[in-house]
Amino acid sequence: MRRTSLRHHTDGLVGLLLFGVFAVCVLSVLLTGAKAYRRLTERDQAAYNRRTAAQYIATRVRQSDTLGGIGLTAFGDADALLLREGEGPFVTYVYCHDGYLMELYCAEDAGLEPQDGEKVLKADSLTAAMEDGLLTATIYGADGIDTVRVSLRSGEEAAS
């Protein structure tokens, strides 16, 4: 009787030990998967932020792609895109200020400062160049660097 009781306890102990090993393996697989998922999510979010800034600039440029509708200027202490829509006195400045890509829609001679614009997306700086009807804008941010090139279709090179 005693031997049977000892065998039952040993069987129970082996079963419990096996269950413990199984639980530890499942937990380690789950933790590894969670870490990989977090890394992938962070990488995808950073790529999304970069692509969104580049696509925002491309869209704004395409909206203003008329003869003389796109220019480059200094606004504050940074490069800015100067976008005109039509013949009116109003322009849109797209630039970086205080860690954000900013947009300011105003009269060209309004005398506003960079801090007066609206925050669009996080970005550290923006550089732009125009050559032979090709606008190249590079956005630098905490998530990396992204460059967008837009071929101007206004028939002639935009004013620079």
Side-chain angles (χ1 to χ4, degrees):
M1 176 85 172
R2 189 163 196 218
R3 191 172 240 200
T4 306
S5 174
L6 184 62
R7 185 170 182 211
H8 285 295
H9 287 301
T10 306
D11 288 346
L13 188 59
V14 168
L16 187 61
L17 184 62
L18 224 63
F19 177 76
V21 169
F22 177 73
V24 167
C25 289
V26 167
L27 187 62
S28 66
V29 166
L30 286 175
L31 289 176
T32 302
K35 287 178 187 176
Y37 178 76
R38 184 172 22 94
R39 282 193 314 269
L40 287 172
T41 303
E42 289 170 355
R43 185 197 69 193
D44 288 348
Q45 184 64 42
Y48 172 80
N49 291 341
R50 286 193 321 270
R51 284 191 313 269
T52 302
Q55 287 304 312
Y56 168 78
I57 289 175
T59 300
R60 294 297 289 140
V61 166
R62 287 185 186 114
Q63 288 173 345
S64 299
D65 193 2
T66 60
L67 186 60
I70 301 167
L72 303 177
T73 187
F75 189 62
D77 58 350
D79 288 347
L81 295 173
L82 177 67
L83 308 172
R84 297 178 193 281
E85 294 178 26
E87 297 294 323
F90 294 99
V91 295
T92 302
Y93 293 98
V94 177
Y95 57 96
C96 281
H97 179 71
D98 280 346
Y100 285 91
L101 184 65
M102 308 276 284
E103 178 179 282
L104 178 62
Y105 179 74
C106 62
E108 191 169 7
D109 58 355
L112 296 175
E113 298 294 322
Q115 62 270 16
D116 297 325
E118 293 292 323
K119 294 177 181 175
V120 177
L121 296 163
K122 288 190 176 194
D124 294 329
S125 66
L126 167 72
T127 60
M130 199 172 335
E131 184 176 328
D132 297 328
L134 180 68
L135 174 70
T136 303
T138 304
I139 304 105
Y140 300 90
D143 297 326
I145 301 169
D146 204 9
T147 300
V148 61
R149 290 176 182 86
V150 181
S151 178
L152 304 178
R153 299 178 183 170
S154 60
E156 295 183 28
E157 184 175 341
S160 55

